[in-house]
Amino acid sequence: MKKRMALIMIIALAFSVCGCFLFSDAYEFSYVSADRYKSGNTEIADASSLTRIHVYWFAGNVTIKTHDKPSILVEETTAGVTDDAHKVHYHYGPYGDSGDSVLFIQFGKSGVSDYDGMQKDLTLTLPANAYEYMGITSDSANISLDLDDYENMLEELTVNSNTGAIRTNLSSADVVHIAGYTDNRGGTENRVYELHATGNIYTLGMNSSYAKVIIDVNEVGTMESVGSVFEETRFTAQKADIVKLSCTKGVTYINVQEFNGMDLEMREKPVYITLPSDCEFTLNKTKEKVLDSDKELVSDLIEIGFENTVKVSDNKYTVGSGEKAINITTFNEIHIDSADIPE
């Protein structure tokens, strides 16, 4: 029987003073057991006992992908770095008393201080379908995950980021959690959380403060805490159970073909919903309490672009039989139109 295990991956910004790091204005840092580290790109032939990866990277991008081999590849790309001190450093070995192994990856050699302005990109290639659980935490590096080879075998994926972008491509997973603070100091290209899934996500949680949230999946079940506070949210799916989104200060776009209901909490910006042309639903609007400072944002505009007769009663709008319930709490515009997503 194939051994299954959890993989925890931690990606940290070297500027944030934590653990074994010491920093100066010149980005000098040090780490323990530096004499055990080797420099340069490498291939770890047998990673069957690996349970944890720690990545400390403070300038550039971190890409994680898979291949059909049992090995792990550690590769960096950079311009003009030829000396060992500035190359990627790594240490792979036993972790604690369990017999499992851990992989540590550092931006460069311990004690080196002249990294100012240096950009390096790291690529980790992992064995496909080798781990049931994958957890990734980042303070700053942009994260790109291409896990499409996991098919239906990835049980849980957790990604957390503070200031970097997250772009995830996978097939299916039981549980996906993507979250982070992502403040508004970086460029807009680094304030995007994307999830693309060709299969099914059974439980999805995906939220941010200042990052745009983009979700494009085939099918999603339970949705927990999905949306952005200050930026727009885009949700596209062929099939969903209950679409639950929250977006306080950003525009929301929803395009779904099959769904059992919607519970949406909006506030200051419009929501645009696209449904199949034969959809029959009831829109229930609840106007959220408006503060004096928000009065200029209030709009009672509701546009429903369906050929079926729309019946209006108080804040309830019924199309056809009204089978699907769409519950929206907002004091801004609501637009619902009809279109079909190509198969």
Side-chain angles (χ1 to χ4, degrees), residues 273 275 281 283 303-306 326 328 334-338:
I273 302 174
L275 303 174
F281 61 90
L283 168 63
E303 291 185 339
I304 300 179
F306 275 73
I326 301 177
I328 303 179
I334 298 173
H335 303 263
I336 304 179
D337 208 344
S338 62

Side-chain angles (χ1 to χ4, degrees), residues 31-317:
Y31 43 86
V32 299
S33 303
D35 58 322
R36 299 182 181 180
Y37 280 74
K38 298 179 180 179
S39 65
N41 298 342
T42 189
E43 178 176 6
I44 300 171
D46 182 8
S48 59
S49 64
L50 181 69
T51 59
R52 187 179 296 263
I53 298 176
H54 293 262
V55 180
Y56 299 94
W57 211 257
F58 56 75
N61 304 291
V62 175
T63 299
I64 302 164
K65 60 183 183 179
T66 62
H67 63 179
D68 58 359
K69 299 179 181 179
S71 61
I72 288 182
L73 302 180
V74 179
E75 302 168 295
E76 69 173 349
T77 56
T78 185
V81 176
T82 57
D83 60 300
D84 284 345
H86 293 93
K87 291 181 179 180
V88 59
H89 278 56
Y90 67 92
H91 169 59
Y92 177 70
Y95 182 72
D97 298 327
S98 65
D100 295 332
S101 296
V102 62
L103 173 63
F104 289 93
I105 299 175
Q106 308 281 1
F107 194 77
K109 184 178 180 180
S110 179
V112 174
S113 61
D114 54 345
Y115 289 115
D116 194 9
M118 183 178 294
Q119 294 286 324
K120 302 201 300 178
D121 295 335
L122 176 69
T123 300
L124 294 180
T125 307
L126 308 176
N129 294 322
Y131 310 103
E132 290 180 331
Y133 306 94
M134 185 176 296
I136 300 167
T137 299
S138 169
D139 281 343
S140 165
N142 294 326
I143 302 173
S144 175
L145 297 97
D146 188 358
L147 305 176
D148 193 49
D149 288 338
Y150 267 74
E151 300 173 350
N152 292 311
M153 302 183 70
L154 184 61
E155 290 195 11
E156 182 170 351
L157 171 67
T158 302
V159 186
N160 294 286
S161 177
N162 284 337
T163 60
I166 300 174
R167 293 178 172 87
T168 303
N169 179 39
L170 52 84
S171 177
S172 298
D174 285 351
V175 179
V176 174
H177 288 137
I178 299 176
Y181 175 71
T182 306
D183 64 29
N184 61 352
R185 290 175 295 177
T188 55
E189 71 278 4
N190 292 328
R191 300 205 310 270
V192 179
Y193 291 177
E194 290 188 49
L195 170 64
H196 300 272
T198 57
N200 303 337
I201 306 297
Y202 294 98
T203 301
L204 172 63
M206 188 169 176
N207 60 84
S208 170
S209 295
Y210 286 93
K212 179 190 299 183
V213 172
I214 301 174
I215 301 168
D216 186 354
V217 298
N218 178 61
E219 182 175 347
V220 63
T222 303
M223 298 177 65
E224 304 171 344
S225 185
V226 177
S228 177
V229 176
F230 293 97
E231 297 294 335
E232 72 179 48
T233 299
R234 292 181 177 268
F235 175 80
T236 303
Q238 285 287 344
K239 186 176 181 179
D241 185 11
I242 305 297
V243 179
K244 298 181 68 174
L245 296 174
S246 175
C247 196
T248 304
K249 295 178 179 292
V251 181
T252 302
Y253 302 89
I254 299 170
N255 194 336
V256 62
Q257 287 295 284
E258 297 181 46
F259 68 102
N260 292 325
M262 293 189 190
D263 288 323
L264 311 177
E265 294 185 9
M266 310 296 129
R267 186 175 172 84
E268 298 182 6
K269 294 294 179 66
V271 55
Y272 297 87
I273 302 174
T274 303
L275 303 174
S277 56
D278 60 352
C279 186
E280 299 181 349
F281 61 90
T282 299
L283 168 63
N284 302 296
K285 178 182 178 181
T286 301
K287 184 177 290 187
E288 187 171 294
K289 183 179 180 180
V290 181
L291 302 175
D292 289 340
S293 58
D294 294 330
K295 286 184 176 180
E296 71 277 6
L297 302 172
V298 173
S299 174
D300 293 322
L301 176 63
I302 296 179
E303 291 185 339
I304 300 179
F306 275 73
E307 294 182 358
N308 288 338
T309 301
V310 179
K311 301 176 183 178
V312 181
S313 176
D314 296 328
N315 288 316
K316 179 180 292 187
Y317 299 76

